[in-house]
Amino acid sequence: MEKNEVAVTKKEPNYRGVKAMPFVIGNETFEKLGTIGTSSNMLVYLSTVFNMSSISATNLINIFNGTCNFGTLFGAFFSDTYLGRYKTLGIASVSSFLGMLVLTLTAAVSALHPPKCGAEESSKCVGPTPGQYAFLFSSFGLLIVGASGIRPCNLAFGADQFNPNTDSGRKGINSFFNWYYFTFTFAMMISLTLIVYVQSNMNWAIGLGIPTFLMFLSCAFFFIGSRIYVKVLPEGSPLTSMAQVLVVAFKKRKLKLPEQPWCNLFSYFPPNSIKSKLAYSDQLRFLNKAAIITEVDEINKDGSAANPWGLCSIQQVEEMKCVIRVIPIWIAGIIYHVVIGQMQTYVVFQAIQSNRQLGSGNFQIPAASYIVFMMLSLTIWIPIYDRLIVPFLRRITRKEEGISLLQRVGIGMVLAIVTMLVSALVEHRRRTLALTHPTLGLVPRKGAISSMSGYWLIPQLAIAGISEAFTVIGLVEFFYKQFPENMRSFAGSFVFCASAMSSYLSSFLISVVHQTTRVGETDNWLSEDLNKARLDYFYYLIAGLEMLNLVYFLICTKYYKYKTTENSTADVAMKELQPQKPIV
């Protein structure tokens, strides 16, 4: 414990939300400008500077993004169990800065990347050496450590600075969330336009150096405010409690449950707990055996189990059930994210071989900047949905949310199918024009540029953005509400883990399609030259996968049982953030 840290039981924490806000928001803004500015155009960087094929670059980016997102589970674990959010964010921020610094060096130092390929399609193109790969992968490793710590902790750390038990504190928390999502959108816009333009049209070293400097400013803002932060001590991981339930249920698997388990099982609940007491449920009854009291089980004077690895409470069992129940929905989310992954990878390759000219001038929109239209549609749709559509639906359904969370997720999945169908039709048009009409030039190592305007890519991106507003935001709220209250940092990690598994799934699909499909004698659906490939068939394949996923999701929702408390039979509403032993 640091010198200025005092446990909450000894001294009331000195919340300085408004004073801490500039440092926290400054850290958030510069961190997002830095990391998004680095990652948003990475596909083009690997293809053009490191001379990697489209398949290799896409698979590497999918694995990188997947590992970053999957790593949030470990980041949340170490934060809640050992380090606390402040130390986790500090270590992760420094790691992200060092990772971007190393990545910038791969562009600035000629010995750290292969020589540039010739303009002719038949010219020799040298790939990276093992040493150049090692330097590149070391930067990715540092960035993964940074993302694993920052993503699960930054929102919660900002909310820690406000007192949730006062009106001003609750307003401050709401204000912080508003600013958080505003800075995310702002950073996305700047990164996908100005920074991407510098990287693609001026100089990669400068283009990567700018977000590196911004990440340095993020670290500076974070550590300057250290003296006034409220820092939350780690309380121990709830994963231990889950492991205890599984172990004890297995040990007592041969025991018979009592006829009235809700009143005969071990029902200890800590009197000073800030958690809601969960109601007994009949689902997953085999786990209830963990709460059977036997002759060898000893009870402490305060009513708790003397050996938590020999006896668990009904509360622990129900918390475990909450996690197990959401896993089928989480799996559906993994398959859904495949669509979002294609909108961030292969749409860039489509744009490269499309007419990206803006108006009648010579300016060309950078290929990676088209992704900004997905973010724009999401940003525009959210207030329309919240202010207009939800009140209208509320009058019809008489539900506070207008429609249930799972209905909202399902609508987004339907739109994901529409996204892939539209994408396939647009790609068919782009390819047809490239093969039957005059082209606009040649992209080195790829092929001819179709005369189709890049604006045709906007509809699929706009639909994908609206789909994301329904499904992704719906899943975030769903996990937050349905997870146990002491696992809400893990609930955020669950969303990132779904995206991570989706990245791995996308990489697997791409590899299988690349190896098993054929177009002509030498090409396949995902050839380097999209004019010789059949990317539209790949999009139709994903649309079919999403249709099967929608059927699976509907089956899951039919049998899903929402979390309830002993005093409520409805959905557990999202509660205000509660203090967790904060320190000054």
Side-chain angles (χ1 to χ4, degrees), residues 315-332:
Q315 178 74 12
Q316 290 177 276
V317 172
E318 291 301 325
E319 289 175 355
M320 183 67 195
K321 290 180 182 180
C322 288
V323 177
I324 294 177
R325 286 193 195 106
V326 303
I327 290 177
I329 305 296
W330 177 71
I331 293 173

Side-chain angles (χ1 to χ4, degrees), residues 113-166:
H113 62 259
K116 186 176 182 180
C117 294
E120 298 296 329
E121 188 174 2
S122 60
S123 61
K124 186 177 180 181
C125 200
V126 180
T129 64
Q132 291 167 345
Y133 267 130
F135 217 76
L136 177 68
F137 291 157
S138 66
S139 69
F140 281 2
L142 289 167
L143 288 171
I144 288 169
V145 172
S148 299
I150 291 173
R151 293 180 182 181
C153 297
N154 52 7
L155 257 177
F157 180 75
D160 287 342
Q161 309 312 309
F162 299 90
N163 187 347
N165 299 318
T166 64

Side-chain angles (χ1 to χ4, degrees), residues 336-337 340 344 374-375 378 412 415 463-474:
Y336 163 81
H337 273 90
I340 304 301
Q344 296 172 347
M374 186 166 69
M375 178 59 66
L378 185 151
L415 291 175
I463 298 172
I466 298 173
S467 170
E468 192 173 3
F470 274 103
T471 297
V472 176
I473 296 177

Side-chain angles (χ1 to χ4, degrees), residues 14 34 95 115 141 147 171 187 236 275 304 310 384 403 406 416 435 504 550 584:
N14 186 9
S95 180
K171 291 178 181 178
K275 297 186 293 183
S304 62
I384 294 176
I403 55 177
L406 292 178
L435 297 177
Y504 296 139
L550 179 62
V584 179

Side-chain angles (χ1 to χ4, degrees), residues 323-534:
V323 177
I324 294 177
R325 286 193 195 106
V326 303
I327 290 177
I329 305 296
W330 177 71
I331 293 173
I334 292 174
I335 302 175
Y336 163 81
H337 273 90
V338 171
V339 172
I340 304 301
Q342 307 318 309
M343 295 300 102
Q344 296 172 347
T345 52
Y346 270 100
V347 166
V348 176
F349 292 132
Q350 284 182 279
I352 289 175
Q353 289 188 254
S354 299
N355 180 10
R356 294 178 282 120
Q357 186 173 343
L358 183 64
S360 58
N362 295 323
F363 178 80
Q364 284 197 338
I365 301 173
S369 293
Y370 279 89
I371 303 174
V372 78
F373 290 106
M374 186 166 69
M375 178 59 66
L376 270 175
S377 68
L378 185 151
T379 306
I380 294 172
W381 174 256
I382 288 176
I384 294 176
Y385 177 79
D386 186 59
R387 299 297 179 182
L388 298 177
I389 297 179
V390 170
F392 173 75
L393 292 174
R394 189 179 294 141
R395 289 194 294 268
I396 298 176
T397 64
R398 300 188 182 279
K399 293 182 179 180
E400 184 66 26
E401 303 90 348
I403 55 177
S404 71
L405 288 175
L406 292 178
Q407 286 174 333
R408 181 176 180 178
V409 172
I411 291 173
M413 289 183 173
V414 173
L415 291 175
I417 297 172
V418 176
T419 297
M420 298 316 300
L421 294 176
V422 172
S423 299
L425 293 174
V426 171
E427 170 57 20
H428 178 76
R429 172 180 171 80
R430 188 208 63 77
R431 182 178 183 272
T432 301
L433 290 177
L435 297 177
T436 60
H437 289 68
T439 57
L440 305 179
L442 188 70
V443 179
R445 300 175 57 238
K446 291 191 178 295
I449 300 175
S450 173
S451 60
M452 187 195 80
S453 172
Y455 292 128
W456 279 92
L457 299 173
I458 295 178
Q460 67 197 60
L461 290 166
I463 298 172
I466 298 173
S467 170
E468 192 173 3
F470 274 103
T471 297
V472 176
I473 296 177
L475 285 174
V476 170
E477 187 174 350
F478 173 77
F479 290 142
Y480 185 88
K481 288 183 176 181
Q482 297 304 308
F483 261 71
E485 289 162 323
N486 61 331
M487 292 189 66
R488 282 181 173 164
S489 59
F490 280 92
S493 298
F494 230 54
V495 178
F496 287 114
C497 287
S499 180
M501 297 301 293
S502 174
S503 296
Y504 296 139
L505 178 59
S506 293
S507 182
F508 173 75
L509 284 174
I510 289 170
S511 297
V512 171
V513 169
H514 180 66
Q515 295 293 330
T516 59
T517 59
R518 286 290 177 268
V519 178
E521 296 182 0
T522 59
D523 297 302
N524 57 75
W525 288 5
L526 302 176
S527 294
E528 289 291 309
D529 184 359
L530 292 185
N531 300 330
K532 298 178 181 179
R534 292 310 303 253

Side-chain angles (χ1 to χ4, degrees), residues 65-74 148 330 496-497 500-501 504:
N65 289 335
T67 308
C68 284
N69 288 326
F70 192 71
T72 58
L73 189 62
F74 297 96
S148 299
W330 177 71
F496 287 114
C497 287
M501 297 301 293
Y504 296 139

